[in-house]
Amino acid sequence: MLNSAGWIGHNGSLPGYKTVSVYPPAKDTTLFVFINTDIDGQTDLTSALMAPITTLISPDNVYG
């Protein structure tokens, strides 16, 4: 279970894919991010996108 700045959910990856699905319990919002990539290794593209996305949709509760 993932809990990042109040966003609760799950993340994961398989070769070629990275995903995260989270929600803040205090709000009526759910966020799913699916990325198709051929980048291997420790690069976490999903988390890199989460802060900018949540800044737009929930500026008072930014993922991080």
Side-chain angles (χ1 to χ4, degrees), residues 5-6 19 26 39 61:
T19 64
I39 296 174
N61 191 31

Side-chain angles (χ1 to χ4, degrees), residues 10-62:
H10 182 72
N11 61 358
S13 64
L14 292 170
Y17 300 94
K18 297 187 181 289
T19 64
V20 64
S21 61
V22 291
Y23 74 98
K27 300 186 179 201
D28 189 22
T29 304
T30 303
L31 176 61
F32 298 95
V33 176
F34 298 89
I35 298 172
N36 182 294
T37 181
D38 61 355
I39 296 174
D40 192 17
Q42 298 300 316
T43 304
D44 190 355
L45 295 174
T46 308
S47 291
L49 290 173
M50 294 298 290
I53 291 170
T54 56
T55 297
L56 292 172
I57 66 170
S58 181
D60 59 328
N61 191 31
V62 176

